Amino acid sequence: MKGIRGFKDILPGEVEKWQYVENEARRVFGLFGFLELRIPLLERTELFARSIGEATDIVGKEMYTFPDRDGDSLTLRPEATTSIMRAYLEHGLNVKEPVGKYFFIGPMFRYERPQKGRYRQFHQIDAEILGVQEAQADAEILVMLMRFLGGLALKNLNLQINSLGDPACRGPYRGEIQKFLRSKSEALCEDCRRRLDTNPLRVFDCKREECQAQLEGAPVVLDFLCEDCRRHFEQVKDMLDTLRLPYGVNPRMVRGLDYYTRTAFEVVAGDLGAQNAVCGGGRYDGLAEEIGGPSVPGIGFAIGVERLVMLLPEEKNYSRYPDVFLAALGKDAQRRGFILAQELRDAGVWVEIDYEGKSLKSQMRKADRLKAPCVVILGEEELKKNRAVLRDMASKAQEEVPFEEILRKVKGKNHGSGAKGR
Ligand code: HAM
């Protein structure tokens, strides 16, 4: 039996890169005061339908939705923002502390056609600032995002921003884009013809080339911003300029979820091919009300971890290696070695042992394969003297060491290597 299409195993060898990225996210987000929270895998389908929007691809055709045994319609979360807002409102976090900064790392589910960089189960690193409407929050979330990505030494990244306005300025724009596209509706795909009535902005999102071609010369929402939205966008750009954070304005970016207002952004990577968005995000000042709460503004982003890991520089080594290999020869030495291994582990040393009573040669080969910097060799002779042989794998130098000194010696050998920080 094989796994499900679009659902990927992440094996040792790759998983170290994931740990590195997740640890870095926790470290950097911590510097900005973001707190981790955990949200459930399932929510009521209606929650996503209301927030992401019925006319989006995500809600329309990509959600894993099923009735549970009571007949309630449940959905595997396709994104985190909606659940984070739901949790924030449900637990009254907005009452205790009106400004909330949260992050979440975990799998999301979308029934998309799998290809390189696109999976049906994928992972996001998601961060949100809730309760702040001011442009400073937009600038701060972008700075945090780019500091995090920059710290991972990713190359060829491009931050694109846009403003989608608010419902007031989007109304007239909607009319204009509808008028523009109606004259070309014959050339649009069936989905886009439907979108024309339900949600014409979504045509920008269509992946078909024939639809993209029709958008040539289409009016853009930036030209329809009301005074407040225009000023907000100017403030965001001004702060990014002050912080010298490079960005480009992409007036055609609309994002694939309906909850966005004002600032929207994406980070695209030159090296990713067709699925080149590493991160997407934006402001969603109407989302809380959309799901039945009070008015709570918010802004955030989600990074696709699979895509991020694909961009990590190859030359960096993410693997970790044991501090020591313990090679025991003969039954008594094996028993003593087994105890010694646990003592070393209790003292914080990563010890690998052989379980099968293999020859010294074969155990040394294994130590080499595991890249252990030193080997403790325990034979019958050494055992009688309460000593072991310590071999340095790089210099091949060997010395006899009393048992009580093994820990100190091994830690010394690992100075600056595997044992560090543990
Ligand atoms: P999104 O643009 O739908 O936004 O997804 C964010 C990122 O998740 C994408 O840029 C991509 O890297 C990754 N991603 C999405 N779908 C897949 C897939 N099928 N396979 C692999 N990676 C994928 C959101 O989800 C919003 N909740 C972001 C946000 C947070 N907005 C405000 N706060």
Side-chain angles (χ1 to χ4, degrees):
M1 290 267 274
K2 287 193 166 174
I4 310 167
R5 197 162 112 88
F7 288 63
K8 205 164 82 91
D9 298 310
I10 302 149
L11 303 178
E14 193 191 347
V15 95
E16 291 77 7
K17 295 183 180 172
W18 286 66
Q19 292 168 338
Y20 166 67
V21 159
E22 289 167 3
N23 290 341
E24 273 301 289
R26 289 194 167 88
R27 189 183 68 75
V28 176
F29 297 177
L31 298 175
F32 287 78
F34 281 66
L35 306 176
E36 180 163 359
L37 54 66
R38 311 242 170 143
I39 48 172
L41 275 174
L42 289 171
E43 296 277 4
R44 286 200 185 78
T45 305
E46 193 197 345
L47 182 75
F48 295 121
R50 282 218 232 162
S51 66
I52 300 172
E54 300 273 7
T56 58
D57 279 358
I58 298 179
V59 173
K61 47 189 184 190
E62 293 172 1
M63 294 203 306
Y64 279 88
T65 296
F66 59 92
D68 75 359
R69 287 175 189 276
D70 294 334
D72 292 335
S73 179
L74 302 182
T75 291
L76 277 170
R77 59 176 185 228
E79 60 116 32
T81 314
T82 304
S83 302
I84 293 175
M85 182 62 96
R86 188 221 15 89
Y88 174 80
L89 297 174
E90 184 172 333
H91 301 287
L93 301 180
N94 56 328
V95 179
K96 285 177 225 145
E97 172 54 64
V99 177
K101 298 191 279 189
Y102 304 102
F103 74 94
F104 172 71
I105 305 176
M108 308 294 154
F109 303 85
R110 295 183 194 174
Y111 193 81
E112 293 192 83
R113 199 168 46 77
Q115 64 180 81
K116 183 169 174 253
R118 190 162 72 194
Y119 308 95
R120 290 181 172 171
Q121 174 177 309
F122 60 98
H123 296 72
Q124 285 186 341
I125 297 177
D126 183 290
E128 314 284 349
I129 303 185
L130 306 181
V132 190
Q133 170 169 306
E134 280 71 20
Q136 193 169 343
D138 306 44
E140 183 160 88
I141 202 106
L142 287 169
V143 170
M144 182 170 92
L145 168 65
M146 298 316 283
R147 285 279 187 284
F148 168 61
L149 296 177
L152 301 176
L154 308 189
K155 293 191 205 90
N156 288 334
L157 294 186
N158 188 346
L159 169 64
Q160 302 182 349
I161 64 172
N162 193 15
S163 176
L164 301 177
D166 59 19
C169 32
R170 234 160 24 210
Y173 173 67
R174 195 186 140 103
E176 281 300 311
I177 187 83
Q178 237 162 6
K179 204 158 73 193
F180 178 87
L181 287 173
R182 282 241 160 84
S183 62
K184 299 160 178 274
S185 71
E186 286 300 298
L188 295 176
C189 72
E190 208 179 303
D191 279 348
C192 283
R193 254 179 273 152
R194 197 166 4 91
R195 286 177 184 132
L196 210 50
D197 295 318
T198 52
N199 195 342
L201 260 82
R202 292 267 73 83
V203 178
F204 278 99
D205 235 22
C206 183
K207 286 157 192 121
R208 291 198 180 80
E209 260 172 43
E210 63 268 27
C211 297
Q212 285 302 318
Q214 299 314 309
L215 286 164
E216 197 64 44
V220 292
V221 63
L222 259 191
D223 294 333
F224 288 78
L225 296 188
C226 65
E227 190 45 33
D228 284 350
C229 289
R230 202 192 50 73
R231 195 173 334 108
H232 193 272
F233 194 46
E234 288 307 317
Q235 286 171 346
V236 174
K237 287 191 292 178
D238 186 52
M239 271 182 259
L240 296 182
D241 293 338
T242 308
L243 292 160
R244 292 176 199 237
L245 194 82
Y247 64 90
V249 174
N250 177 0
R252 292 164 70 105
M253 183 213 304
V254 293
R255 310 274 303 119
L257 306 94
D258 278 352
Y259 53 56
Y260 290 110
T261 51
R262 296 190 168 173
T263 314
F265 55 88
E266 275 179 7
V267 179
V268 293
D271 305 336
L272 272 183
Q275 302 306 318
N276 63 354
V278 190
C279 174
R283 180 165 277 289
Y284 44 88
D285 293 347
L287 169 61
E289 284 167 298
E290 215 55 72
I291 61 173
S295 166
V296 176
I299 181 159
F301 63 75
I303 300 167
V305 184
E306 283 79 1
R307 297 183 192 177
L308 186 62
V309 164
M310 278 160 61
L311 291 171
L312 288 176
E314 278 303 323
E315 56 279 10
K316 190 170 153 71
N317 188 0
Y318 302 92
S319 308
R320 296 194 312 129
Y321 306 109
D323 299 319
V324 59
F325 188 91
L326 200 146
L329 294 164
K331 281 250 165 327
D332 291 342
Q334 260 177 347
R335 183 169 304 132
R336 185 67 188 90
F338 195 59
I339 297 167
L340 185 59
Q342 311 316 325
E343 287 169 356
L344 289 170
R345 287 168 182 155
D346 288 345
V349 173
W350 176 0
V351 186
E352 285 295 336
I353 55 171
D354 159 59
Y355 301 97
E356 301 152 299
K358 290 259 172 76
S359 69
L360 180 62
K361 202 165 151 200
S362 138
Q363 293 195 51
M364 293 306 279
R365 264 206 305 268
K366 182 164 179 186
D368 220 30
R369 218 170 41 241
L370 295 173
K371 297 200 168 61
C374 59
V375 179
V376 170
I377 304 165
L378 203 57
E380 301 293 331
E381 282 309 304
E382 288 85 19
L383 197 61
K384 281 184 205 143
K385 296 186 274 180
N386 267 341
R387 286 170 164 259
V389 172
L390 183 65
R391 181 181 169 89
D392 185 302
M393 294 298 273
S395 68
K396 305 204 166 32
Q398 298 198 163
E399 60 178 318
E400 257 195 29
V401 180
F403 275 177
E404 57 278 12
E405 289 211 3
I406 292 177
L407 176 63
R408 191 174 56 80
K409 288 270 184 188
V410 166
K411 281 202 160 171
K413 291 230 176 281
N414 279 285
H415 187 68
S417 76
K420 88 172 171 229
R422 274 186 283 124

